């Protein structure tokens, strides 16, 4: 799980979190990362839920669509 405190890193321009066995939803605070231009979260099969507003290919972020491959982002997180 990613900490919500990442949203405070407003100068962050890129995140490569590929294949880190991350689980759960991306924190909504990532939408505050207005300098973010690259985000790779692919191959984290436990990631699920909505992509935070502001972190989409049609906003300030310009990550490759395949950067989400191997995740369940865009689908509901399972309840346990």
């Amino acid at each position: 799980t990613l900490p919500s405190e990442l949203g405070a890193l407003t100068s962050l321009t890129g995140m490569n979190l590929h294949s880190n066995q991350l689980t759960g939803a991306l924190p909504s605070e990532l939408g505050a990362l207005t300098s973010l231009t690259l985000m790779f979260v692919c191959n984290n099969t436990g990631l699920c839920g909505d992509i935070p507003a502001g972190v989409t290919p049609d906003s300030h972020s310009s990550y490759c669509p395949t950067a989400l491959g191997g995740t369940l982002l865009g689908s509901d997180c399972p309840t346990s």
Side-chain angles (χ1 to χ4, degrees), residues 22-26 41-51 68-78:
L22 298 172
T23 60
L26 294 175
V41 293
C42 51
N43 296 325
N44 287 290
T45 57
L47 280 181
C48 56
D50 293 329
I51 299 169
L68 302 175
T71 71
L72 294 175
L73 288 169
S75 62
D76 292 334
C77 291

Side-chain angles (χ1 to χ4, degrees), residues 14-61:
M15 281 195 297
N16 185 350
L17 303 171
H18 177 271
S19 300
N20 278 287
Q21 299 178 350
L22 298 172
T23 60
L26 294 175
S28 61
E29 290 82 359
L30 292 183
L33 299 177
T34 56
S35 296
L36 191 68
T37 57
L38 185 68
M39 184 176 78
F40 291 111
V41 293
C42 51
N43 296 325
N44 287 290
T45 57
L47 280 181
C48 56
D50 293 329
I51 299 169
V55 182
T56 60
D58 60 347
S59 69
H60 61 268
S61 212

